[in-house]
Amino acid sequence: MPLDIIQFPCLSDNFGVLIHDPKSGKTAAIDAPESSPIMKVLAEKNWTLTDIFTTHWHHDHVDGNLVLKEKYRCKITGPKHEAAKIPGIDVTVSGGDTFDFAGYRFEVIDCPGHTLGGISYSVPSEKLLFAADTLFALGCGRLLEGTPDDMWASLSKLALLSDDTIVYCGHEYTLSNAKFALTIDPDNAELVARAAKIKDQRERGEATLPTTIGLEKRTNPFLRPHDSGIRKVLAMESATDAAVFGEIRHRKNIF
């Protein structure tokens, strides 16, 4: 019996994600942007929260931790290198660690860049990735603590996952990301078609996530610094991939 996964809006543009195992009844939240929407979905589904898997310390990912822990007595797992900033944390993990959730093996991937100690969670058997603010649909997180080299190394690790890996991200930024992506990779026919679809989805109020690793590798400029067309647009034909990535991130910052 597969895992049930529900994605729903929190705050102004965050996503909440709940993972439920029907067999054991265990339920985990990927981050806790705010408690009320999470509690509402749990009540609607008649689920009890057993775990919170925190990806990084930012307030819009941990503000619900203590309220949820008090109500459900759930266990909070989070990044070792940011433990002091994670409210209510019980278990610390870092890249290369694995742990069991309802019989499923979760793998921890270190993803410095957005923050220095941020992590992503991969479930290889189910081809799932919970990337939070490292990888977005058509984007990546701002480098608030790390360097372009840090983030490029993190994204490169995620890009090694199978193309059919389903990716859940932390925010609904896809429309603005698409507008920017077209300035960097204007001749990418799949990107052009995807951007038009995204515009329609957002006009209908639909979420553009989850995405897949394969789709991002084909259309997300932050995963494509090796592409000759992108390098030509940037006039960086002989630069390293990390340098090209850094220029793309800089341009997005001021877009």
Side-chain angles (χ1 to χ4, degrees):
M1 190 176 296
L3 292 167
D4 293 331
I5 303 177
I6 294 181
Q7 172 186 268
F8 49 93
C10 290
L11 299 173
S12 61
D13 55 33
N14 281 70
F15 280 117
V17 176
L18 289 174
I19 311 167
H20 177 74
D21 174 50
K23 187 175 180 179
S24 67
K26 288 189 173 183
T27 305
I30 301 295
D31 291 326
E34 60 175 330
S35 57
S36 296
I38 294 173
M39 291 163 61
K40 181 175 182 290
V41 175
L42 288 167
E44 289 172 351
K45 302 298 291 186
N46 196 28
W47 294 347
T48 298
L49 190 68
T50 57
D51 293 89
I52 298 173
F53 300 146
T54 303
T55 62
H56 64 293
W57 69 266
H58 285 164
H59 299 300
D60 62 328
H61 292 259
V62 303
D63 272 358
N65 278 17
L66 295 182
V67 171
L68 294 169
K69 187 171 186 176
E70 181 177 358
K71 180 175 177 62
Y72 299 103
R73 299 291 184 258
C74 56
K75 179 174 68 177
I76 300 177
T77 299
K80 176 180 179 180
H81 301 298
E82 298 182 355
K85 299 180 179 181
I86 309 295
I89 192 167
D90 297 297
V91 178
T92 63
V93 292
S94 56
D97 289 344
T98 64
F99 60 88
D100 176 89
F101 171 74
Y104 294 88
R105 184 172 183 261
F106 277 58
E107 297 184 355
V108 180
I109 304 171
D110 277 336
C111 289
H114 184 57
T115 66
L116 286 179
I119 58 177
S120 295
Y121 297 95
S122 171
V123 191
S125 67
E126 307 307 296
K127 296 184 177 179
L128 292 169
L129 174 68
F130 302 99
D133 290 7
T134 296
L135 176 64
F136 294 129
L138 294 178
C140 75
R142 285 180 176 269
L143 308 184
L144 298 180
E145 295 180 8
T147 66
D149 283 354
D150 290 335
M151 182 62 104
W152 175 238
S154 297
L155 292 173
S156 296
K157 285 186 277 189
L158 301 186
L160 292 175
L161 299 173
S162 63
D163 282 0
D164 55 349
T165 298
I166 299 169
V167 184
Y168 288 86
C169 310
H171 293 269
E172 180 58 83
Y173 291 161
T174 317
L175 181 59
S176 61
N177 287 346
K179 292 176 181 178
F180 170 74
L182 289 170
T183 71
I184 298 296
D185 197 10
D187 298 324
N188 184 332
E190 187 171 5
L191 170 60
V192 172
R194 186 182 181 192
K197 179 181 178 182
I198 288 163
K199 183 174 182 292
D200 290 343
Q201 287 177 298
R202 295 307 296 148
E203 287 176 351
R204 294 193 298 268
E206 297 175 1
T208 62
L209 293 161
T211 180
T212 67
I213 289 292
L215 182 57
E216 296 310 311
K217 283 165 64 175
R218 297 192 303 272
T219 58
N220 185 336
F222 293 97
L223 292 183
R224 295 168 50 75
H226 57 276
D227 182 80
S228 60
I230 290 176
R231 285 168 167 261
K232 185 175 181 180
V233 167
L234 300 177
M236 297 181 72
E237 286 93 336
S238 60
T240 65
D241 286 348
V244 175
F245 167 80
E247 176 63 18
I248 296 170
R249 184 61 260 182
H250 169 70
R251 292 189 182 209
K252 181 63 168 67
N253 291 345
I254 60 177
F255 180 68

